[in-house]
Coordinates of all heavy atoms in Angstrom, one line a residue:
M198 N 157.7 124.5 118.1 CA 156.6 123.7 118.3 C 155.4 124.5 119.0 O 155.7 125.2 119.9 CB 157.0 122.5 119.2 CG 155.9 121.6 119.5 SD 156.4 120.1 120.3 CE 156.8 119.1 118.9
H199 N 154.3 124.3 118.5 CA 153.1 125.0 119.0 C 152.5 124.3 120.3 O 152.5 123.1 120.3 CB 152.1 125.2 118.0 CG 152.5 125.9 116.7 ND1 152.7 127.3 116.8 CD2 152.8 125.6 115.5 CE1 153.1 127.7 115.6 NE2 153.2 126.7 114.8
P200 N 152.1 125.1 121.2 CA 151.6 124.5 122.5 C 150.4 123.6 122.3 O 150.1 122.7 123.0 CB 151.4 125.7 123.4 CG 151.3 126.8 122.5 CD 152.1 126.5 121.3
Y201 N 149.5 123.9 121.3 CA 148.4 123.1 121.1 C 148.6 121.7 120.6 O 147.7 120.9 120.5 CB 147.3 123.9 120.3 CG 147.6 124.1 118.9 CD1 147.6 123.2 117.9 CD2 148.2 125.4 118.6 CE1 148.0 123.6 116.6 CE2 148.6 125.7 117.3 CZ 148.5 124.8 116.3 OH 148.9 125.0 115.0
L202 N 149.8 121.5 120.1 CA 150.2 120.1 119.6 C 150.5 119.2 120.7 O 150.5 118.0 120.5 CB 151.3 120.3 118.6 CG 151.0 121.0 117.3 CD1 152.2 121.0 116.4 CD2 149.9 120.3 116.5
I203 N 150.9 119.8 121.9 CA 151.2 118.9 123.0 C 150.0 118.7 123.8 O 149.4 119.6 124.4 CB 152.3 119.6 123.9 CG1 153.5 119.9 123.0 CG2 152.7 118.8 125.1 CD1 154.5 120.8 123.7
T204 N 149.4 117.5 123.8 CA 148.2 117.1 124.6 C 148.5 116.0 125.5 O 149.4 115.1 125.3 CB 147.1 116.7 123.7 OG1 147.5 115.6 122.8 CG2 146.7 117.9 122.7
A205 N 147.8 116.0 126.6 CA 148.1 115.0 127.6 C 147.2 113.8 127.2 O 146.0 113.9 126.8 CB 147.7 115.5 129.0
K206 N 147.7 112.6 127.3 CA 146.9 111.4 127.0 C 145.9 111.1 128.2 O 146.3 111.5 129.4 CB 147.8 110.2 126.8 CG 148.6 110.3 125.6 CD 149.4 109.0 125.5 CE 150.3 109.1 124.2 NZ 151.1 107.9 124.0
P207 N 144.7 110.5 128.0 CA 143.9 110.2 129.1 C 144.5 109.2 129.9 O 145.1 108.3 129.6 CB 142.6 109.9 128.4 CG 143.0 109.4 127.0 CD 144.2 110.2 126.7
G208 N 144.2 109.3 131.3 CA 144.7 108.4 132.2 C 144.0 107.0 132.1 O 143.0 106.8 131.4
R209 N 144.4 106.1 132.8 CA 143.9 104.7 132.8 C 142.4 104.7 133.3 O 141.6 103.9 132.8 CB 144.7 103.8 133.6 CG 146.1 103.4 132.9 CD 146.8 102.4 133.7 NE 148.1 102.2 133.1 CZ 148.9 101.3 133.4 NH1 148.7 100.5 134.4 NH2 150.1 101.1 132.7
I210 N 142.2 105.5 134.3 CA 140.8 105.5 134.8 C 139.8 106.0 133.7 O 138.7 105.5 133.5 CB 140.7 106.3 136.1 CG1 141.5 105.6 137.2 CG2 139.3 106.5 136.5 CD1 141.6 106.3 138.5
R211 N 140.3 107.2 133.1 CA 139.4 107.7 132.1 C 139.2 106.8 130.9 O 138.2 106.7 130.3 CB 140.1 109.1 131.7 CG 139.0 109.9 130.8 CD 139.7 111.3 130.5 NE 139.7 112.1 131.7 CZ 138.8 113.0 132.0 NH1 137.9 113.3 131.2 NH2 138.9 113.8 133.1
Q212 N 140.3 106.1 130.5 CA 140.2 105.1 129.4 C 139.2 104.0 129.8 O 138.4 103.6 129.0 CB 141.5 104.6 129.0 CG 142.4 105.5 128.3 CD 143.8 104.9 127.9 OE1 144.2 104.0 128.6 NE2 144.4 105.4 126.9
A213 N 139.4 103.5 131.1 CA 138.5 102.4 131.5 C 137.1 102.9 131.5 O 136.1 102.1 131.2 CB 138.9 102.0 132.9
L214 N 136.8 104.1 132.0 CA 135.4 104.6 132.0 C 134.9 104.7 130.5 O 133.7 104.4 130.3 CB 135.3 106.0 132.7 CG 135.5 106.0 134.2 CD1 135.6 107.4 134.8 CD2 134.5 105.2 134.9
A215 N 135.7 105.1 129.6 CA 135.2 105.3 128.2 C 134.9 103.9 127.7 O 133.9 103.7 127.0 CB 136.3 105.9 127.4
V216 N 135.7 102.9 128.0 CA 135.4 101.6 127.5 C 134.2 101.0 128.1 O 133.3 100.4 127.4 CB 136.7 100.6 127.8 CG1 136.3 99.2 127.6 CG2 137.8 101.0 126.9
C217 N 134.0 101.2 129.4 CA 132.7 100.8 130.1 C 131.5 101.5 129.5 O 130.5 100.8 129.3 CB 132.8 101.1 131.6 SG 133.9 100.0 132.5
R218 N 131.6 102.8 129.2 CA 130.5 103.5 128.6 C 130.2 102.9 127.2 O 129.0 102.6 127.0 CB 130.9 105.0 128.4 CG 129.6 105.7 128.0 CD 130.0 107.2 127.7 NE 130.8 107.3 126.5 CZ 132.0 107.9 126.4 NH1 132.6 108.4 127.5 NH2 132.7 107.9 125.3
V219 N 131.1 102.7 126.4 CA 130.9 102.1 125.1 C 130.3 100.7 125.1 O 129.3 100.4 124.5 CB 132.2 102.0 124.3 CG1 132.1 101.2 123.0 CG2 132.7 103.5 123.9
W220 N 130.8 99.8 126.0 CA 130.3 98.5 126.1 C 128.9 98.4 126.8 O 128.0 97.6 126.4 CB 131.3 97.6 126.8 CG 132.3 97.1 125.8 CD1 133.5 97.6 125.7 CD2 132.1 96.2 124.8 NE1 134.2 96.9 124.6 CE2 133.3 96.1 124.1 CE3 131.0 95.3 124.4 CZ2 133.5 95.2 123.0 CZ3 131.2 94.4 123.4 CH2 132.4 94.4 122.7
S221 N 128.6 99.3 127.7 CA 127.3 99.4 128.3 C 126.2 99.8 127.3 O 125.2 99.3 127.3 CB 127.3 100.3 129.6 OG 127.6 101.6 129.2
V222 N 126.6 100.7 126.5 CA 125.7 101.2 125.4 C 125.5 100.1 124.4 O 124.3 99.8 124.0 CB 126.2 102.4 124.7 CG1 125.3 102.7 123.4 CG2 126.1 103.6 125.7
R223 N 126.5 99.3 124.0 CA 126.3 98.2 123.2 C 125.4 97.1 123.8 O 124.6 96.5 123.1 CB 127.7 97.6 122.8 CG 128.5 98.5 121.9 CD 129.8 97.9 121.5 NE 130.6 98.8 120.6 CZ 131.8 98.6 120.4 NH1 132.5 97.5 120.8 NH2 132.5 99.4 119.6
I224 N 125.6 96.8 125.0 CA 124.9 95.8 125.7 C 123.4 96.2 125.8 O 122.5 95.4 125.6 CB 125.5 95.4 127.0 CG1 126.8 94.6 126.8 CG2 124.6 94.6 127.9 CD1 127.6 94.4 128.1
L225 N 123.2 97.5 126.1 CA 121.8 98.0 126.2 C 121.1 97.9 124.9 O 120.0 97.5 124.8 CB 121.9 99.4 126.7 CG 120.5 100.1 126.8 CD1 119.6 99.4 127.9 CD2 120.6 101.6 127.2
A226 N 121.8 98.3 123.8 CA 121.2 98.2 122.5 C 120.9 96.7 122.1 O 119.9 96.5 121.5 CB 122.2 98.8 121.5
L227 N 121.8 95.8 122.4 CA 121.6 94.4 122.1 C 120.4 93.9 122.9 O 119.5 93.2 122.3 CB 122.8 93.6 122.4 CG 122.7 92.1 122.1 CD1 122.5 91.9 120.6 CD2 123.9 91.3 122.6
T228 N 120.3 94.3 124.1 CA 119.1 93.9 125.0 C 117.8 94.4 124.4 O 116.8 93.7 124.3 CB 119.3 94.4 126.4 OG1 120.5 93.9 126.9 CG2 118.2 93.9 127.3
V229 N 117.8 95.7 124.0 CA 116.5 96.3 123.4 C 116.2 95.6 122.1 O 115.0 95.3 121.9 CB 116.8 97.8 123.2 CG1 115.6 98.4 122.4 CG2 116.8 98.5 124.5
M230 N 117.2 95.3 121.3 CA 116.9 94.7 120.0 C 116.3 93.3 120.2 O 115.4 92.8 119.6 CB 118.1 94.6 119.1 CG 118.5 96.0 118.6 SD 119.8 95.9 117.3 CE 121.0 94.8 117.9
T231 N 116.9 92.5 121.2 CA 116.5 91.2 121.6 C 115.1 91.2 122.0 O 114.2 90.4 121.7 CB 117.4 90.6 122.6 OG1 118.7 90.6 122.1 CG2 117.0 89.1 122.9
L232 N 114.7 92.1 122.9 CA 113.3 92.2 123.5 C 112.3 92.6 122.4 O 111.3 92.0 122.3 CB 113.3 93.2 124.7 CG 114.1 92.7 125.9 CD1 114.0 93.9 126.9 CD2 113.4 91.5 126.5
L233 N 112.7 93.6 121.6 CA 111.8 93.9 120.5 C 111.6 92.8 119.5 O 110.5 92.5 119.0 CB 112.3 95.2 119.8 CG 112.1 96.5 120.5 CD1 112.8 97.6 119.8 CD2 110.7 96.8 120.7
G234 N 112.7 92.1 119.2 CA 112.6 90.9 118.3 C 111.7 89.8 118.9 O 110.9 89.2 118.1
A235 N 111.8 89.6 120.2 CA 110.9 88.5 120.8 C 109.5 89.0 120.8 O 108.6 88.1 120.5 CB 111.4 88.3 122.2
A236 N 109.2 90.3 121.0 CA 107.9 90.7 120.9 C 107.3 90.6 119.5 O 106.1 90.2 119.3 CB 107.8 92.1 121.5
V237 N 108.0 91.0 118.5 CA 107.6 91.0 117.2 C 107.4 89.5 116.8 O 106.3 89.1 116.1 CB 108.5 91.6 116.2 CG1 108.3 91.3 114.7 CG2 108.6 93.1 116.4
L238 N 108.2 88.6 117.2 CA 108.1 87.1 116.8 C 106.8 86.6 117.5 O 106.0 85.8 116.9 CB 109.3 86.4 117.3 CG 109.2 84.9 117.0 CD1 109.2 84.6 115.5 CD2 110.4 84.2 117.6
T239 N 106.6 87.0 118.7 CA 105.3 86.5 119.4 C 104.1 87.0 118.7 O 103.2 86.2 118.5 CB 105.4 87.0 120.9 OG1 106.6 86.5 121.5 CG2 104.2 86.5 121.7
V240 N 104.0 88.2 118.4 CA 102.8 88.7 117.7 C 102.7 88.1 116.3 O 101.6 87.7 115.9 CB 102.9 90.3 117.5 CG1 101.9 90.8 116.6 CG2 102.9 90.9 118.9
R241 N 103.8 87.9 115.6 CA 103.7 87.2 114.3 C 103.2 85.8 114.4 O 102.4 85.4 113.5 CB 105.1 87.2 113.6 CG 105.5 88.6 113.1 CD 105.1 88.6 111.6 NE 105.8 89.6 110.9 CZ 105.4 90.0 109.7 NH1 104.5 89.2 109.1 NH2 106.0 90.9 109.1
C242 N 103.7 85.1 115.4 CA 103.3 83.7 115.5 C 101.8 83.6 116.0 O 101.1 82.6 115.7 CB 104.2 83.0 116.5 SG 105.9 82.8 115.9
A243 N 101.3 84.6 116.7 CA 100.0 84.5 117.3 C 98.9 84.9 116.3 O 97.7 84.6 116.4 CB 99.9 85.4 118.6
R244 N 99.3 85.6 115.2 CA 98.3 86.2 114.3 C 97.4 85.1 113.7 O 96.2 85.3 113.6 CB 99.0 87.0 113.2 CG 99.4 88.4 113.8 CD 100.2 89.2 112.8 NE 99.3 89.6 111.7 CZ 99.7 90.3 110.7 NH1 101.0 90.5 110.6 NH2 98.9 90.6 109.8
P245 N 98.0 84.0 113.1 CA 97.1 83.0 112.6 C 96.1 82.4 113.6 O 94.9 82.2 113.3 CB 98.0 81.9 112.1 CG 99.3 82.5 111.9 CD 99.4 83.6 112.9
L246 N 96.5 82.3 114.9 CA 95.6 81.8 115.9 C 94.6 82.8 116.2 O 93.4 82.5 116.3 CB 96.4 81.5 117.2 CG 95.6 81.0 118.4 CD1 95.0 79.7 118.0 CD2 96.5 80.9 119.6
I247 N 94.9 84.1 116.3 CA 93.9 85.2 116.5 C 92.9 85.2 115.3 O 91.8 85.3 115.6 CB 94.7 86.5 116.7 CG1 95.5 86.5 118.0 CG2 93.7 87.7 116.6 CD1 96.4 87.6 118.1
N248 N 93.4 85.0 114.1 CA 92.5 85.1 112.9 C 91.5 83.9 113.0 O 90.3 84.0 112.8 CB 93.3 85.0 111.6 CG 94.0 86.3 111.3 OD1 93.5 87.4 111.8 ND2 95.0 86.2 110.5
Y249 N 92.0 82.7 113.4 CA 91.1 81.5 113.6 C 90.1 81.7 114.6 O 88.9 81.5 114.4 CB 92.0 80.3 113.8 CG 91.2 79.1 114.0 CD1 90.6 78.4 113.0 CD2 90.9 78.6 115.3 CE1 89.8 77.2 113.2 CE2 90.1 77.4 115.5 CZ 89.5 76.8 114.4 OH 88.8 75.7 114.6
V250 N 90.5 82.2 115.8 CA 89.6 82.4 116.9 C 88.5 83.5 116.5 O 87.4 83.3 116.8 CB 90.3 82.8 118.2 CG1 89.4 83.3 119.3 CG2 91.2 81.6 118.7
A251 N 89.0 84.5 115.9 CA 88.0 85.6 115.5 C 87.0 85.1 114.4 O 85.8 85.4 114.6 CB 88.8 86.8 114.9
T252 N 87.5 84.2 113.6 CA 86.5 83.7 112.6 C 85.5 82.7 113.3 O 84.3 82.8 113.0 CB 87.3 82.8 111.5 OG1 88.2 83.7 110.9 CG2 86.4 82.3 110.4
R253 N 86.0 81.9 114.2 CA 85.1 81.0 114.9 C 84.1 81.8 115.8 O 83.0 81.4 115.9 CB 85.9 80.0 115.8 CG 86.7 79.0 115.0 CD 85.7 78.1 114.3 NE 86.3 77.7 113.0 CZ 85.6 77.4 111.9 NH1 84.3 77.3 112.0 NH2 86.2 77.1 110.8
A254 N 84.6 82.9 116.3 CA 83.7 83.7 117.2 C 82.6 84.3 116.3 O 81.4 84.4 116.8 CB 84.4 84.8 117.9
V255 N 82.9 84.7 115.1 CA 81.9 85.3 114.2 C 80.8 84.2 113.9 O 79.6 84.5 114.0 CB 82.5 85.8 112.9 CG1 81.5 86.1 111.9 CG2 83.4 87.1 113.3
F256 N 81.3 83.0 113.6 CA 80.3 82.0 113.2 C 79.5 81.6 114.5 O 78.3 81.3 114.4 CB 81.1 80.7 112.8 CG 81.6 80.8 111.4 CD1 82.8 80.5 111.1 CD2 80.8 81.4 110.4 CE1 83.4 80.6 109.8 CE2 81.3 81.5 109.1 CZ 82.6 81.1 108.8
L257 N 80.0 81.6 115.7 CA 79.3 81.3 116.9 C 78.2 82.4 117.1 O 77.1 82.1 117.5 CB 80.2 81.2 118.1 CG 79.6 80.9 119.4 CD1 78.9 79.5 119.4 CD2 80.6 81.0 120.5
E258 N 78.6 83.7 116.9 CA 77.7 84.8 117.1 C 76.6 84.7 116.1 O 75.4 85.0 116.4 CB 78.4 86.1 117.0 CG 77.7 87.2 117.8 CD 76.8 88.0 116.8 OE1 76.9 87.9 115.6 OE2 75.8 88.6 117.3
L259 N 76.9 84.3 114.8 CA 75.8 84.2 113.8 C 74.9 83.1 114.2 O 73.6 83.3 114.1 CB 76.5 83.8 112.4 CG 77.0 85.0 111.7 CD1 77.8 84.5 110.4 CD2 75.9 85.9 111.2
W260 N 75.4 82.0 114.7 CA 74.5 80.9 115.1 C 73.6 81.4 116.3 O 72.4 81.1 116.3 CB 75.4 79.7 115.6 CG 74.6 78.6 116.2 CD1 74.0 77.6 115.5 CD2 74.4 78.3 117.5 NE1 73.4 76.7 116.3 CE2 73.6 77.2 117.6 CE3 74.8 79.0 118.7 CZ2 73.2 76.7 118.8 CZ3 74.4 78.5 119.9 CH2 73.6 77.3 120.0
A261 N 74.2 82.1 117.2 CA 73.3 82.5 118.4 C 72.3 83.6 117.9 O 71.2 83.6 118.4 CB 74.3 83.2 119.4
A262 N 72.7 84.4 117.0 CA 71.7 85.4 116.4 C 70.6 84.7 115.7 O 69.4 85.1 115.8 CB 72.5 86.4 115.5
Q263 N 70.8 83.6 115.0 CA 69.7 82.9 114.4 C 68.9 82.2 115.3 O 67.6 82.2 115.2 CB 70.3 81.8 113.4 CG 71.0 82.4 112.2 CD 71.7 81.3 111.3 OE1 71.8 80.1 111.8 NE2 72.0 81.6 110.1
R264 N 69.4 81.7 116.5 CA 68.6 81.0 117.5 C 67.7 82.0 118.2 O 66.6 81.6 118.5 CB 69.5 80.3 118.5 CG 70.3 79.2 117.8 CD 69.4 78.0 117.3 NE 70.1 77.0 116.7 CZ 70.2 76.8 115.4 NH1 69.6 77.7 114.6 NH2 70.9 75.8 114.9
I265 N 68.2 83.2 118.5 CA 67.4 84.1 119.3 C 66.6 85.1 118.4 O 65.8 85.9 119.0 CB 68.2 84.8 120.4 CG1 69.3 85.7 119.8 CG2 68.8 83.9 121.4 CD1 70.0 86.5 120.7
G266 N 66.9 85.1 117.2 CA 66.1 85.9 116.2 C 66.5 87.4 116.2 O 65.6 88.2 115.8
R267 N 67.7 87.8 116.5 CA 68.1 89.1 116.5 C 69.0 89.4 115.2 O 69.6 88.4 114.8 CB 68.7 89.7 117.7 CG 70.1 89.1 118.0 CD 70.7 90.0 119.1 NE 72.1 89.5 119.3 CZ 73.2 89.8 118.5 NH1 73.0 90.7 117.5 NH2 74.4 89.4 118.8
P268 N 69.1 90.6 114.7 CA 70.0 90.8 113.6 C 71.5 90.7 114.0 O 71.9 91.1 115.0 CB 69.7 92.2 113.1 CG 69.0 92.8 114.2 CD 68.4 91.7 115.0
P269 N 72.3 90.0 113.2 CA 73.7 89.8 113.5 C 74.6 91.0 113.2 O 75.5 90.9 112.4 CB 74.1 88.6 112.8 CG 73.3 88.7 111.5 CD 72.0 89.3 112.0
V270 N 74.4 92.1 113.8 CA 75.1 93.4 113.5 C 76.6 93.3 113.9 O 77.4 93.6 113.1 CB 74.4 94.6 114.2 CG1 75.3 95.9 113.9 CG2 73.0 94.8 113.7
S271 N 76.8 92.8 115.1 CA 78.2 92.7 115.6 C 79.0 91.7 114.8 O 80.2 91.9 114.5 CB 78.3 92.4 117.0 OG 77.6 91.1 117.3
S272 N 78.4 90.6 114.3 CA 79.1 89.7 113.5 C 79.4 90.2 112.1 O 80.5 89.9 111.6 CB 78.3 88.4 113.4 OG 77.1 88.6 112.6
L273 N 78.6 91.1 111.6 CA 79.0 91.7 110.3 C 80.2 92.6 110.4 O 81.1 92.5 109.6 CB 77.8 92.5 109.8 CG 76.6 91.7 109.4 CD1 75.4 92.6 108.9 CD2 76.9 90.7 108.2
I274 N 80.3 93.3 111.6 CA 81.4 94.2 111.8 C 82.6 93.3 112.0 O 83.7 93.5 111.4 CB 81.2 95.1 113.0 CG1 80.0 96.1 112.6 CG2 82.5 95.8 113.4 CD1 79.5 96.9 113.8
G275 N 82.5 92.3 112.8 CA 83.6 91.3 113.2 C 84.1 90.6 111.9 O 85.3 90.4 111.8
A276 N 83.1 90.2 111.1 CA 83.5 89.5 109.9 C 84.3 90.3 108.9 O 85.3 89.9 108.3 CB 82.3 89.0 109.1
G277 N 83.9 91.6 108.8 CA 84.7 92.5 108.0 C 86.1 92.7 108.5 O 87.1 92.8 107.7
L278 N 86.2 92.9 109.9 CA 87.5 93.1 110.5 C 88.3 91.8 110.3 O 89.6 91.8 109.9 CB 87.4 93.4 112.0 CG 86.9 94.8 112.3 CD1 86.7 94.9 113.7 CD2 87.8 95.8 111.8
T279 N 87.8 90.6 110.5 CA 88.5 89.4 110.3 C 89.0 89.2 108.9 O 90.1 88.9 108.6 CB 87.6 88.2 110.6 OG1 87.1 88.4 112.0 CG2 88.3 86.9 110.5
D280 N 88.1 89.5 107.9 CA 88.5 89.5 106.4 C 89.7 90.4 106.2 O 90.6 90.1 105.5 CB 87.4 89.8 105.5 CG 86.3 88.7 105.6 OD1 86.6 87.6 106.0 OD2 85.2 89.0 105.2
E281 N 89.7 91.7 106.8 CA 90.7 92.6 106.6 C 92.0 92.0 107.2 O 93.1 92.2 106.6 CB 90.4 93.9 107.2 CG 89.4 94.7 106.4 CD 89.9 95.0 105.0 OE1 91.1 95.4 104.8 OE2 89.1 94.9 104.0
F282 N 92.0 91.4 108.4 CA 93.1 90.9 109.0 C 93.7 89.8 108.2 O 94.9 89.7 108.0 CB 92.9 90.4 110.4 CG 92.8 91.5 111.5 CD1 91.7 91.7 112.2 CD2 93.9 92.3 111.6 CE1 91.7 92.7 113.2 CE2 93.9 93.3 112.5 CZ 92.8 93.5 113.4
I283 N 92.9 88.9 107.7 CA 93.3 87.8 106.9 C 94.0 88.3 105.6 O 95.0 87.8 105.2 CB 92.2 86.8 106.6 CG1 91.8 86.1 107.9 CG2 92.5 85.8 105.5 CD1 90.5 85.3 107.9
T284 N 93.3 89.2 104.9 CA 93.8 89.8 103.7 C 95.2 90.4 103.9 O 96.1 90.2 103.1 CB 92.9 90.8 103.1 OG1 91.6 90.2 102.9 CG2 93.4 91.4 101.8
E285 N 95.3 91.2 105.0 CA 96.6 91.9 105.3 C 97.7 90.9 105.6 O 98.8 91.0 105.2 CB 96.4 92.8 106.5 CG 97.6 93.7 106.7 CD 98.6 93.1 107.7 OE1 98.2 92.3 108.5 OE2 99.8 93.5 107.6
F286 N 97.3 89.8 106.4 CA 98.3 88.8 106.7 C 98.8 88.0 105.5 O 100.0 87.8 105.3 CB 97.7 87.8 107.7 CG 98.6 86.6 108.1 CD1 99.7 86.9 108.9 CD2 98.3 85.4 107.6 CE1 100.5 85.8 109.2 CE2 99.1 84.3 107.9 CZ 100.2 84.5 108.8
H287 N 97.9 87.7 104.6 CA 98.4 87.0 103.4 C 99.2 87.9 102.5 O 100.1 87.5 101.8 CB 97.1 86.4 102.6 CG 96.5 85.2 103.3 ND1 97.3 84.0 103.6 CD2 95.3 85.0 103.9 CE1 96.5 83.2 104.2 NE2 95.3 83.7 104.4
R288 N 98.8 89.2 102.4 CA 99.5 90.1 101.6 C 101.0 90.3 102.2 O 101.9 90.3 101.4 CB 98.8 91.4 101.6 CG 99.5 92.4 100.7 CD 98.8 93.8 100.6 NE 97.4 93.8 100.7 CZ 96.6 94.4 101.6 NH1 97.2 95.1 102.5 NH2 95.3 94.3 101.5
A289 N 101.0 90.4 103.5 CA 102.4 90.4 104.1 C 103.2 89.2 103.8 O 104.4 89.3 103.6 CB 102.3 90.7 105.6
R290 N 102.6 88.0 103.9 CA 103.4 86.8 103.6 C 103.8 86.8 102.2 O 104.9 86.3 101.9 CB 102.5 85.6 103.9 CG 102.5 85.3 105.4 CD 101.9 84.0 105.8 NE 102.0 83.0 104.8 CZ 101.2 81.9 104.8 NH1 100.3 81.8 105.8 NH2 101.3 81.0 104.0
R291 N 103.0 87.2 101.2 CA 103.4 87.2 99.9 C 104.5 88.1 99.6 O 105.4 87.8 98.7 CB 102.2 87.5 99.0 CG 101.3 86.3 98.7 CD 100.4 86.6 97.5 NE 99.7 87.9 97.6 CZ 98.5 88.1 98.2 NH1 97.8 87.0 98.6 NH2 97.9 89.3 98.2
T292 N 104.5 89.3 100.2 CA 105.5 90.3 99.8 C 106.9 90.1 100.6 O 107.9 90.5 100.1 CB 105.0 91.7 100.1 OG1 104.7 91.8 101.5 CG2 103.9 92.1 99.3
T293 N 106.9 89.4 101.8 CA 108.1 89.2 102.5 C 108.6 87.8 102.4 O 109.8 87.6 102.9 CB 107.9 89.6 103.9 OG1 106.8 88.7 104.5 CG2 107.4 91.1 104.1
A294 N 107.9 86.8 101.9 CA 108.4 85.5 101.8 C 109.5 85.3 100.9 O 109.5 85.9 99.8 CB 107.2 84.5 101.5
S295 N 110.5 84.5 101.2 CA 111.6 84.3 100.4 C 111.3 83.2 99.4 O 110.8 82.1 99.9 CB 112.9 84.0 101.2 OG 113.9 83.6 100.4
T296 N 111.6 83.4 98.1 CA 111.2 82.4 97.1 C 112.5 81.6 96.7 O 112.4 80.8 95.8 CB 110.6 83.0 95.9 OG1 111.5 84.0 95.3 CG2 109.3 83.7 96.3
G297 N 113.6 81.9 97.3 CA 114.8 81.3 97.0 C 115.6 81.8 95.8 O 116.4 81.2 95.3
S298 N 115.1 82.9 95.3 CA 115.7 83.5 94.1 C 117.1 84.1 94.5 O 117.4 84.4 95.7 CB 114.8 84.6 93.5 OG 114.7 85.7 94.4
T299 N 117.9 84.3 93.5 CA 119.3 84.8 93.8 C 119.4 86.3 93.7 O 120.5 86.8 93.5 CB 120.3 84.1 92.8 OG1 119.8 84.4 91.5 CG2 120.4 82.6 93.0
R300 N 118.3 87.0 93.7 CA 118.3 88.4 93.5 C 118.9 89.1 94.8 O 118.8 88.8 95.8 CB 116.9 89.1 93.4 CG 116.4 88.7 91.9 CD 115.2 89.5 91.8 NE 114.3 88.7 90.9 CZ 113.1 89.1 90.6 NH1 112.6 90.2 91.1 NH2 112.4 88.4 89.8

């Protein structure tokens, strides 16, 4: 029999530490995934509200620009950004929405 085939089994303390290490990493990973999921859900749910507020702010700025007689430069930039956000949001909904197909 070769000496390298005879190995000592780890003790109970070492086994307990290994189990604690494995479970602590699993719990940490679950916590990180939960926090990231909550953050993503919050941002996803707030996007339509942000788009609505941005659109209303553009209209309000246009109204104010007409009343005081200055060119609405910032509203043109804001309107372009709002349109891009809305376009991107609708594109994301179309490509990720489930249609109930069996694919």
Side-chain angles (χ1 to χ4, degrees):
M198 179 171 268
H199 297 287
Y201 61 83
L202 294 177
I203 302 171
T204 57
K206 292 183 179 180
R209 289 186 182 188
I210 293 175
R211 193 173 289 259
Q212 284 180 340
L214 289 174
V216 168
C217 286
R218 186 185 72 235
V219 167
W220 279 101
S221 64
V222 169
R223 287 179 182 174
I224 289 171
L225 179 65
L227 180 65
T228 304
V229 168
M230 288 189 320
T231 302
L232 291 175
L233 286 175
V237 167
L238 180 65
T239 302
V240 169
R241 284 265 196 192
C242 291
R244 283 175 70 185
L246 179 65
I247 292 169
N248 286 340
Y249 176 77
V250 170
T252 304
R253 292 293 145 207
V255 167
F256 287 133
L257 180 64
E258 203 271 338
L259 278 172
W260 175 82
Q263 287 175 350
R264 295 294 176 257
I265 61 175
R267 71 164 184 84
V270 175
S271 61
S272 67
L273 293 176
I274 295 169
L278 289 174
T279 302
D280 291 341
E281 285 299 318
F282 280 124
I283 290 172
T284 303
E285 190 271 333
F286 177 72
H287 288 300
R288 186 181 319 127
R290 278 188 33 196
R291 277 196 308 268
T292 58
T293 59
S295 173
T296 57
S298 65
T299 57
R300 287 189 210 177

